[in-house]
Amino acid sequence: MNKKLSKTKAEWQAELTEMQYYVTREHGTERAFSGIYHDHKADGTYSCICCGTALFSSDTKYDSGSGWPSFTAPIADEHVGETEDNSLFMRRTEVHCANCEAHLGHVFPDGPVDRGGLRYCINSASLDFDDE
């Protein structure tokens, strides 16, 4: 991933659904329990809906009870970037696709302690799924 993927607003809007665009390009959030992957249990790989970069493995997915797909770690640290997010009067860490800058969700330090202690709380709309 040496050269980052960049497209115009019109190109993204032509390729994505309204919700996918809102989440990934405008840093939106889907409603809890509304996404197709929040209760998804198949084995496979979750990839960026915008560029196809492999982001999370089903091996790291767990039910956090939050209403969004939750993972303990990305497939590779270099596939997911982090940015400080001080919106909504909160201090959080946003996670985005390192290849195309798509907003994915946030990472919190309240995940399973025996699996590293992190909870990557990800919007279903930012993901695609490839089963094994």
Side-chain angles (χ1 to χ4, degrees):
M1 281 192 285
N2 295 336
K3 187 176 180 185
K4 291 190 178 198
L5 176 65
S6 179
K7 295 184 181 184
T8 66
K9 178 179 179 177
E11 288 173 319
W12 286 123
Q13 287 176 320
E15 293 177 18
L16 302 169
T17 67
E18 282 186 42
M19 179 58 77
Q20 290 167 340
Y21 182 83
Y22 168 68
V23 168
T24 62
R25 309 322 307 175
E26 295 183 336
H27 300 261
T29 301
E30 63 197 9
R31 286 187 342 268
F33 302 101
S34 69
I36 61 172
Y37 298 124
H38 88 275
D39 195 29
H40 191 248
K41 296 184 179 16
D43 292 335
T45 302
Y46 295 86
S47 301
C48 177
I49 195 67
C50 294
C51 70
T53 297
L55 299 171
F56 300 97
S57 168
S58 60
D59 293 339
T60 65
K61 189 172 187 293
Y62 74 102
D63 183 4
S64 68
S66 68
W68 289 276
S70 296
F71 304 87
T72 56
I75 284 179
D77 289 339
E78 62 270 16
H79 291 198
V80 176
E82 296 183 1
T83 306
E84 187 174 311
D85 177 1
N86 294 315
S87 64
L88 304 175
F89 305 103
M90 293 183 272
R91 175 176 246 165
R92 304 177 292 177
T93 302
E94 175 195 352
V95 290
H96 58 268
C97 175
N99 186 46
C100 70
E101 300 292 323
H103 170 74
L104 305 172
H106 292 85
V107 60
F108 301 98
D110 61 0
V113 176
D114 62 332
R115 294 172 69 186
L118 295 177
R119 173 175 56 101
Y120 286 82
C121 186
I122 307 299
N123 290 283
S124 289
S126 68
L127 300 173
D128 195 9
F129 182 75
D130 299 310
D131 58 4
E132 294 182 333

